[in-house]
Each structure stands twice: as C-alpha cells, then as structure tokens.
Amino acid sequence: MLEIIAETLRATIAVALILAGSLAILIWVRNNTRKLSALRLFIQIAAVAVIFLGLIIGPFGLERWSYLGTAPKDITIGKEILGRPYPDGLTVPTFSCYYASGRTATCVIWQLQSYLFPNYGTSSIYLTTGLERLAIAVGLLVVISVIFGRFLCGWICPFGLYMDLLTRLRKALKIRHWTLSDRVNEGLRQARYLIIAAFLILSFLLGMRAIAGVELISESELGRYLEIPFCQICPAKPLFVLVEGALGFMDVDYMLSQTIGDFALTGWYLTSINIVILGVVTVGSFMIRRLWCRICPLGGLIALFSRFGPFKKISLIKLTKVEEKCTKCGICKRVCPPQVTEVYEDKGGDVTVSSCILCFRCVEMCPYEGCLNVEFAGKPIYKSKNWLNEEE
Amino acid sequence: MASEIEKGTKYIPEMAQTEIDDLNKSIKTASLKVIEDNIERMKKAWKNRPQAMEYFDEISNLFGKRQEEIKQQKTAGKKVVGYSCIFAPIEMILAADAIPVRVGSGWYDTAKLGDRIMPVEICPVIRSTVGAKMVSLSPFLELSDAIVMPLTCDGRTKLSEILADYKPIWHMNPPRVKDDPHTLGMWKQEIMVIKEKIEKLTGNKITRKNLKEAIEKMQQATKAFRRLQDLRKGNPVINGRDAMLVNQTSLWDDVERWTQKVNELCDELEKRVEQKEHSTYPDTPRVMLTGTPMIWPDSWKVPNLIEESNPQGLVVVDEQCSGDRILYDPVGVDEWTMSDMLDAISERYLMACTCPCFTSEHGNEDRINWIIDRIKEYKVDGVIYYVVRGCILYAMEYQRIKRVLDKMNIPVYYLDTEYTREDVGQMKTRVEAFLEMLEARMDI
C-alpha cells in the first residue's frame, strides 16, 4: 500500500516537473526577449534533476546509500540499450560525478581514466570488456561534442550551475566581479590540455601497475584510488558528495568509513586536496564568473572534439556574428562569463571558440538586432534583438 | 606674466550692450520665422500629419516652452548641464538630477557674426556657436551652469576656450583609437572626472540607485526611438524631416516626456501602417543622409530640399550625431553594481560611437559598417554625403566611403555647403539631378 502511494507521489512529481518545464519554455517563447538567463537557469536545474534522477525517482528496491555503481538507472539503461548491465552509466561530458549516488549518467573523465587501465572491471557485474567500454565512452564523447559542443558547459553541467548560483548570490550582494587579465585567461585555456594529457598518461601508467617488472603502485586500496588521478583533485567530486550527504542521500558514516588508511584525511569519497580545491574554486568563482570553466579539462575535451580540425566543420552548434551590424560597443565582451574576447574582436562569421561555454549571454545582451546569432545545423535558433523591453 | 594673461582680453571682443540687444532681437525674430517656416513646409508636404507631431512642433521652438520650463526649474534649484556633443554621458547628468541640454548651434546668421573672430576655414557649426554666444542668442547655452566639452575635433577644442570665458567648461578627451583596451581605461577616467564634477556642481551624489534610474530612463528613450526608426524601414508613414525633428528634440526636451510623446506618435503611425496611409508615394527614392550634424532650425534646408524637390526624395535614415546616432545605442548593464554601470556608460559613449574622429588600423570601419547596415536595413536607394565647409574629418572620410558604396552599387552624392541660404537655388538643381538619377535607376 505504502509502496503504491510512494510510487504515485514520485510519478506526480515527475509529471509536475515536465509540465513546469514545458510551461516555462512556452512562456519564454511567447515573450522571447531577454529571458534567456532565466531559461538557462531553469534548464540547468532541470538537467541536475535528470542527472541525479536516481535520487528522486527512488532506488528501485536498492538501498538508498548502496555502494557506487549500483545507481539504479545505470543498470536499467545498460539493460535496455545494450542488453547487459553497464553499471557506470552512459557517458556525458559534464560533471555528473561518479562518486555521488543516484546519477543516471557519468562524467566522461572518470570513465576515460578507469577504462584506460586493463585490470579494471573484471568483477562479475561488468559484462563489457574494458576496450568496449572505452569505445563507448569516447564515441559518446565525440558524438555529443559534435552535436552540442560546450553548450553542455553552459546549460547542463551541474558544477556550472553551482558557479552560476554563486554568481547570482554575489549579484544579490551587489558586489562587482573581478576579471582576469587576458594573459592569465589564455594561460588557463592552454593549461586545460596539459591537465588532460597529464591525467590520461598518469592513469594509464599507474593502471599498468608495473613497468618492466618495476612496481609503480601496489594492488592496495590506495592503488585503486591513485589510478583515477584527476577525480582526486576535481572540485566537483566533494561538492556532490557533500551535498548528497547533507541532504541525506548518502550515509555520512559510510562515506567517512571509506577512507584509505595511509592517508588519514584522504578517502574514496573525499580527499583533502579535493576539498581545498573546491574551497579555492568556490571563493574564486564567487568573485570571478565561471572561474573553473576556464581551466576545466572536461571543457577542453569537448572543445577538442568540437572546435578544432575536422570537428570544427561538422560541429552543429555555432555562434555567428554579422560584422556590419556590430558597432563594437563592447557589451558582449563585458558580459561574457568566461571572458571570451574573440566574439568582440573577430570580424564576423563563425565566432565560436574553444573557451566559449555557449551560454549565449552575449547574444542576449547584444542590443543590435540580428548581430549575434546562434545557429544549430546551419539554422538560426536564437538571435540578438532589441532587449530594451525587459529588465532583470 | 600669468597675471597679464588673467587680465588679458577675452576671445570675444567687448560689444556694446545695445548692439548685442539689437542683433539678438533681429536674429531671434529671423530664427523664429525660420522655425515657423520649416514647420509650415513640413505640414504642407504631409497632408494628414499625425496629431502627436504637434507636441514636437511646439517643443522645436527653441525660444518657447522648453526654455521657460528650464528657467523655472533653475529657479527651483536645479542645475543645467550643457554638452556640445554626444560623447557627454547624459545618464550621469540625469542621475545627479540636473538637466542635460545640447548647446550646438544651427543659426546661419550667427555664423556670420562668428566670422569676426574665427577664421573662415573653421567649420560653421563652431563659428555659429561663437556668434550665438556673442549676442547671447542660444537659450540653452545661456542657461547652462557648466558645459561638457568632448574635444572631438580642432574646432571644438578652441570653442571650449572661447566659451570658458563665460562658463565652467568640463573638457573630455576622447581617445582617437577606441579598439585598444588601454584607451578605454583612459576614457573611463574621463568619465569618472566628469562624474565628480557633476556631483560637485549639483551637490547631489550619483548613487547606484539614481544612476540605475537614469540608465533605465535613457533605455526607455532608446526603445521609443528604435520603435520610430523601425517604422521608417517599411513604406513611408512618416516623412524624413519629421522623424529628424523628433529625434533632434530629444537633445533638449525632458527625456521622460519625450519618450512618452514618441510612443504616442508611434501608436498613431502603427495604425497608419495597417491602414496603408502613406505620408508620400511608396516608390519615392529612399535617401540616406550622412556627414556633418544638421542642426535645427536653419540646417533643415537640406532635408527640405530633398523632400520638396521634383522628383521627390524621402530621407529614411541618417548617420549623423544630430540624428539617428543620438539614441541608437543603449547602455547595456550586466550587473547593476556601480562599477559595472560606469563601465557600461563609458563603453556606450566611446566604443559604440561612429564619429569620424576615430581611426584604427583598418580605418574607421565601424562607421562604414554602420552605413552599409543601414543601407541594407532601410532599403536605401542613394546616399547624400552632407559636408559643410571646414568639417574636414567628414570630408576626408568621403573617398573611402564612396569606394565602399560604389562596390555596393549605391550612388552617393557629395553635397558640400555652408551656413548660408544663398546656395539653395543651385543646391536644388544638384539634388534634383541626383534624385532624378535615383528614380531612373529604380525604373530599371
């Protein structure tokens, strides 16, 4: 009986969410003027709800804080699509953290690191081989990058939402943001690729455990933990774990018990480096808009497969500029959260760049009709317009 | 030595008060006649002129209602801040609860007076302003408590010196290159200096709250202005002269009232679009004006000529700091903090401006792009490049713009003139020939 009531309640919540979402989109389409930021916030929240849907729609008979990898959707998606369990969830290039429970998709960075080493996932729940999983992860990464590009960063990524909420809090407190100099910004932009290279090489080497008979790391718990180097410094991991712990979705005692002996303060769920980085990024992105996005290796990965070489030509989502309509008023440059300057500097045509998170704040704020345009597969889907009718 | 300079004579020679009064009276009478005549002609050319235009006819009288209003507000304690050019940050003046008025001068008669002390090579806008000061003609110049003087060209630089004998002059140095990040920094400093000066003069602090209000007021004005401009894109429902007058009255009218009246006008015009009630024939050649500012009332001779000649032309858009450039660009604020608002204001007044006083490694491309975009948006058939003698920045840019327009296959006509009514006859022939050519091209 209780079961039925709970299921009905969940279904009602899900239907209500869908209805609210469609209503919001309808309202926005009708007075499609300056509400893009509001729409984006809504989609970000909806995306977080979908990514952590396992927490909302219930654990399907599994224990609420059961062990990693048993998030319910992972199993069902794997069964439905692949015909066999795919317990790590489908790859999505956003910070849908592996360590938090209830996720329906998993961050591609964790997957790349895990699947790179040959010994991983030999237990019975893995019916796919490491190579297969790696192919699925990379394939999905490429396909999603080509279709959406860094749109995911601006509109889907839960960590992006966290930074945007910090920005909104700062705005509410009437504090002016800080800006980084173009040189520092450029440095951060380049650093992304170094980080990608570093964590891929490290996890590959450490995953091999031994080279020419010399043992690199032992088969211990600590070893397993070091095989996934990036996640141990990623600021998103402690955020989601702590939020879920605070909300009661994860058992705090269990979380803390999963520490690795040698490092008193480090553990599977939280490492001290993690928490320090999260603290720095939190304070930093309170003052500097979208600070992490400027150095985010995940964003770098998406950019690699959407903004360079052959991918640039086939990537579907584009930001274009009509040179004649531009008076170089500089608004696009000033309002850009990750401080992209190319949209302002470039002459016209395709102005999408690798550091652009496609949040379309510049399109929203550009006061010249049709100067900045968002194109999807060659078709304009959103244009800059005279936004004077609305105000925040 | 310094004391000698201090005691030294002013630029403008002392004139007997009786002479000043006589000249003032005669020029004022003549000017009132010109204003009346211009309005008469506008009414004649547009049979069913909308009701809402009456307000603008009234406010266009420089010596009328608005002058009295400002006088009254001044006795009530408000300050008046004049400005010579659209580089001056109006939002700041409004935020400090002062009255912004533009003090440029369009009187042909005073230009002749100005010749007495200014060399004739100098642009007549400057000479005319000097002449107006000599006889205390310009009501807004006389009422100003201080004048913001952006030094955009040589004429204005020296004009500021002349006016400095009578009023506090607040100079602003617009950088000549606007693309460079450090020049924007320089300009922000200029804006900050002006902010302090306005605060000191009015005694009102410019706060986050009142600056936000002022920005929103101006944004509403821009919105109304753009509404009117959009109506000029289709078949003619308003004559060019009338729209130009509406735009220009914003320079001295109360912003909020102006916005409201423009919206009323637009309401009326929008009905006419539905009813297809055109102000002239829809196939009239569509002309764009660019170049030197055309200042009410005397400079109306050019739009008068264009719209009254045979064949008739219709001014659909202009690229002048006395017209469509006044309110086109809004101040775009990202976060409503003081520093972001100040950044937004400085960017709007520097970066969005397409004055020919700017240059860059690609030339003044922003202005050219502006013109190209307008030609496409407003379906312009031909461009009249209006330059008064001595306006060298506009004159020098002509060649490049002509080349660009030649490539676009848009005829452009260089109309050079003076602050004089004597050349109207021969100008008429020139303009008519140009319009005839436009019409012939349209037939093909």
Side-chain angles (χ1 to χ4, degrees):
Chain A
M1 191 62 205
L2 265 174
E3 197 81 338
I4 297 168
I5 294 171
E7 287 300 321
T8 332
L9 207 68
R10 278 169 199 147
T12 323
I13 292 171
V15 170
L17 257 175
I18 293 166
L19 277 180
S22 347
L23 197 71
I25 292 172
L26 264 179
I27 291 171
W28 179 72
V29 167
R30 187 171 293 168
N31 48 22
N32 181 354
T33 43
R34 211 190 158 187
K35 297 267 173 64
L36 198 72
S37 289
L39 181 76
R40 189 162 72 92
L41 183 67
F42 175 80
I43 289 184
Q44 280 176 312
I45 292 171
V48 171
V50 170
I51 288 172
F52 295 103
L53 200 63
L55 300 174
I56 297 169
I57 61 172
F60 293 108
L62 289 170
E63 275 182 50
R64 203 169 61 172
W65 46 77
S66 54
Y67 189 64
L68 313 164
T70 44
K73 266 292 166 192
D74 296 353
I75 293 167
T76 47
I77 287 174
K79 274 205 179 120
E80 280 157 14
I81 299 174
L82 303 169
R84 45 190 171 171
Y86 187 71
D88 297 333
L90 286 177
T91 308
V92 175
T94 61
F95 280 127
S96 37
C97 187
Y98 171 80
Y99 295 84
S101 51
R103 75 205 132 64
T104 55
T106 303
C107 172
V108 71
I109 291 198
W110 181 87
Q111 293 195 325
L112 286 182
Q113 293 173 109
S114 307
Y115 304 159
L116 266 177
F117 42 83
N119 309 340
Y120 184 79
T122 43
S123 69
S124 59
I125 59 167
Y126 285 97
L127 295 175
T128 45
T129 66
L131 214 60
E132 272 178 352
R133 274 179 272 131
L134 192 64
I136 292 172
V138 173
L140 276 172
L141 168 67
V142 172
V143 169
I144 294 175
S145 298
V146 165
I147 297 175
F148 295 107
R150 289 198 72 185
F151 179 80
L152 290 155
C153 303
W155 291 67
I156 308 290
C157 181
F159 197 70
L161 172 66
Y162 172 66
M163 283 187 282
D164 283 353
L165 291 177
L166 285 174
T167 303
R168 279 177 186 262
L169 176 68
R170 178 180 51 71
K171 272 191 192 175
L173 297 173
K174 309 274 184 242
I175 303 169
R176 177 76 200 271
H177 62 77
W178 294 343
T179 47
L180 293 179
S181 75
D182 288 351
R183 261 181 80 184
V184 175
N185 234 3
E186 185 58 31
L188 292 178
R189 189 192 292 199
Q190 302 300 337
R192 294 182 302 188
Y193 305 114
L194 280 179
I195 297 175
I196 297 172
F199 78 69
L200 287 180
I201 292 167
L202 258 180
S203 73
F204 184 72
L205 285 180
L206 296 175
M208 283 165 67
R209 299 288 153 94
I211 294 174
V214 181
E215 194 181 46
L216 293 171
I217 54 167
S218 64
E219 193 67 49
S220 66
E221 283 275 307
L222 180 64
R224 265 194 80 195
Y225 148 88
L226 284 175
E227 282 165 358
I228 310 164
F230 179 73
C231 292
Q232 316 318 322
I233 58 162
C234 173
K237 185 176 104 176
L239 176 72
F240 298 127
V241 170
L242 286 173
V243 167
E244 288 202 349
L247 293 177
F249 288 120
M250 274 178 110
D251 188 358
V252 181
D253 290 340
Y254 174 76
M255 257 160 58
L256 295 177
S257 71
Q258 293 294 303
T259 45
I260 288 143
D262 296 340
F263 291 79
L265 286 169
T266 56
W268 183 253
Y269 285 103
L270 297 164
T271 75
S272 43
I273 311 169
N274 259 169
I275 293 173
V276 169
I277 290 181
L278 175 64
V280 171
V281 171
T282 302
V283 174
S285 51
F286 180 76
M287 289 316 295
I288 303 166
R289 299 162 298 175
R290 289 277 184 150
L291 176 66
W292 179 257
C293 295
R294 305 171 196 214
I295 197 175
C296 180
L298 187 46
L301 270 180
I302 305 175
L304 270 182
F305 296 116
S306 64
R307 297 262 54 90
F308 295 103
F311 297 108
K312 191 177 167 73
K313 278 185 201 123
I314 54 169
S315 90
L316 293 180
I317 211 158
K318 279 194 178 94
L319 185 62
T320 60
K321 173 173 157 187
V322 180
E323 193 200 345
E324 295 142 28
K325 292 185 189 285
C326 176
T327 60
K328 289 209 200 128
C329 69
I331 290 180
C332 53
K333 194 166 128 186
R334 184 158 39 85
V335 302
C336 178
Q339 283 179 258
V340 173
T341 53
E342 280 85 348
V343 175
Y344 166 76
E345 283 159 4
D346 284 2
K347 281 267 175 191
D350 185 0
V351 290
T352 340
V353 287
S354 70
S355 50
C356 168
I357 58 167
L358 296 170
C359 66
F360 309 139
R361 178 72 176 152
C362 51
V363 188
E364 185 188 11
M365 286 298 287
C366 174
Y368 306 108
E369 240 172 289
C371 179
L372 287 175
N373 303 288
V374 183
E375 281 177 18
F376 187 78
K379 285 197 188 97
I381 52 168
Y382 183 64
K383 281 180 172 189
S384 63
K385 54 191 74 187
N386 192 351
W387 44 256
L388 295 154
N389 304 312
E390 302 291 319
E391 54 168 272
E392 259 176 317
Chain B
M1 279 303 283
S3 60
E4 295 248 335
I5 294 173
E6 255 163 49
K7 272 185 261 162
T9 42
K10 296 172 174 176
Y11 261 95
I12 299 178
E14 295 287 334
M15 285 164 76
Q17 193 57 45
T18 47
E19 194 194 351
I20 293 179
D21 290 343
D22 283 352
L23 280 168
N24 182 314
K25 209 174 156 197
S26 65
I27 297 177
K28 197 168 157 182
T29 323
S31 176
L32 281 169
K33 228 182 214 165
V34 172
I35 292 173
E36 208 176 297
D37 179 50
N38 277 341
I39 290 171
E40 254 344 285
R41 291 168 87 159
M42 276 150 70
K43 277 184 182 157
K44 214 171 127 193
W46 187 8
K47 289 284 161 10
N48 53 350
R49 210 151 169 264
Q51 285 255 300
M53 278 308 292
E54 271 169 31
Y55 169 77
F56 298 101
D57 293 344
E58 190 192 351
I59 214 77
S60 74
N61 184 351
L62 300 166
F63 310 99
K65 181 183 163 189
R66 183 63 182 154
Q67 186 191 3
E68 292 308 315
E69 239 177 45
I70 294 179
K71 264 184 195 161
Q72 273 171 18
Q73 286 177 343
K74 231 187 134 170
T75 42
K78 270 203 179 192
K79 298 284 179 190
V80 181
V81 178
Y83 58 95
S84 68
C85 144
I86 55 166
F87 275 93
I90 314 291
E91 282 86 356
M92 304 265 229
I93 302 172
L94 286 175
D97 199 28
I99 305 165
V101 281
R102 178 135 165 201
V103 297
S105 162
W107 292 288
Y108 284 181
D109 301 321
T110 56
K112 288 188 190 74
L113 275 174
D115 284 352
R116 290 193 199 168
I117 53 166
M118 296 293 267
V120 282
E121 289 84 0
I122 288 299
C123 137
V125 180
I126 306 298
R127 281 187 279 130
S128 171
T129 312
V130 173
K133 181 65 232 170
M134 284 163 82
V135 295
S136 307
L137 181 72
S138 166
F140 304 131
L141 180 60
E142 297 306 317
L143 285 168
S144 312
D145 292 299
I147 294 170
V148 185
M149 271 274 179
L151 306 178
T152 46
C153 62
D154 291 351
R156 289 199 199 283
T157 309
K158 288 296 137 183
L159 175 66
S160 73
E161 277 180 34
I162 297 167
L163 295 182
D165 289 336
Y166 305 91
K167 306 263 173 197
I169 299 292
W170 301 339
H171 293 116
M172 289 182 101
N173 271 314
R176 287 291 171 99
V177 180
K178 56 179 179 178
D179 284 351
D180 221 324
H182 87 271
T183 54
L184 181 63
M186 274 158 62
W187 178 247
K188 276 179 193 163
Q189 302 252 309
E190 297 281 326
I191 295 271
M192 291 309 290
V193 171
I194 290 293
K195 176 173 171 264
E196 268 167 38
K197 284 179 174 166
I198 293 173
E199 281 175 344
K200 207 175 158 197
L201 175 83
T202 57
N204 300 330
K205 223 133 175 67
I206 295 176
T207 60
R208 206 183 64 79
K209 206 176 146 212
N210 60 27
L211 190 56
K212 186 182 174 193
E213 270 167 26
I215 289 175
E216 281 169 352
K217 241 185 241 177
M218 290 302 284
Q219 284 181 344
Q220 287 306 313
T222 299
K223 188 183 150 191
F225 162 83
R226 286 206 189 174
R227 203 176 148 200
L228 180 65
Q229 290 302 104
D230 285 346
L231 282 164
R232 293 170 77 183
K233 285 181 188 169
N235 281 335
V237 286
I238 181 165
N239 277 351
R241 278 177 284 176
D242 300 83
M244 282 167 79
L245 180 66
V246 172
N247 290 343
Q248 201 155 127
T249 48
S250 71
L251 293 174
W252 57 83
D253 198 3
D254 177 67
V255 184
E256 275 175 287
R257 191 176 55 192
W258 184 86
T259 310
Q260 187 203 331
K261 293 289 176 187
V262 172
N263 279 325
E264 279 170 25
L265 176 65
C266 291
D267 290 340
E268 243 178 284
L269 293 179
E270 267 160 19
K271 270 183 213 142
R272 290 178 180 214
V273 174
E274 279 167 28
Q275 291 158 0
K276 298 205 164 87
E277 237 180 89
H278 298 139
S279 62
T280 73
Y281 298 108
D283 56 354
T284 314
R286 299 164 73 84
V287 175
M288 175 181 183
L289 285 176
T290 181
T292 316
M294 262 177 207
I295 302 168
W296 178 260
D298 289 293
S299 299
W300 243 237
K301 76 171 173 185
V302 178
N304 273 341
L305 264 179
I306 296 168
E307 299 202 332
E308 283 169 12
S309 82
N310 185 25
Q312 192 196 358
L314 179 79
V315 180
V316 284
V317 65
D318 64 67
E319 190 275 336
Q320 292 174 317
C321 58
S322 62
D324 294 359
R325 260 171 50 200
I326 305 171
L327 281 165
Y328 181 66
D329 308 293
V331 172
V333 184
D334 183 26
E335 302 172 359
W336 293 95
T337 56
M338 192 70 187
S339 59
D340 193 52
M341 280 191 274
L342 291 174
D343 282 0
I345 288 174
S346 24
E347 279 177 18
R348 181 248 183 259
Y349 283 100
L350 181 75
M351 318 265 276
C353 184
T354 57
C355 183
C357 72
F358 291 118
T359 187
S360 77
E361 52 187 310
H362 309 290
N364 195 7
E365 52 179 3
D366 294 358
R367 176 162 179 242
I368 299 172
N369 281 333
W370 216 93
I371 293 174
I372 296 173
D373 179 50
R374 276 335 103 100
I375 287 172
K376 287 181 183 164
E377 283 276 306
Y378 291 80
K379 300 177 217 71
V380 169
D381 296 312
V383 177
I384 289 186
Y385 201 103
Y386 164 81
V387 171
V388 291
R389 201 175 67 198
C391 188
I392 41 173
L393 289 174
Y394 275 109
M396 283 197 286
E397 262 189 26
Y398 171 68
Q399 279 306 329
R400 175 127 191 238
I401 285 172
K402 184 181 185 315
R403 265 155 220 261
V404 173
L405 295 183
D406 280 352
K407 264 190 203 151
M408 291 175 71
N409 199 16
I410 295 287
V412 50
Y413 186 67
Y414 186 81
L415 188 73
D416 55 328
T417 175
E418 243 289 15
Y419 265 28
T420 169
R421 297 188 191 87
E422 280 148 24
D423 60 354
V424 170
Q426 56 112 330
M427 247 170 66
K428 190 169 192 259
T429 328
R430 290 157 70 189
V431 168
E432 272 178 359
F434 181 67
L435 290 172
E436 231 164 76
M437 188 262 286
L438 287 187
E439 210 175 49
R441 277 168 60 98
M442 283 168 81
D443 291 341
I444 306 163

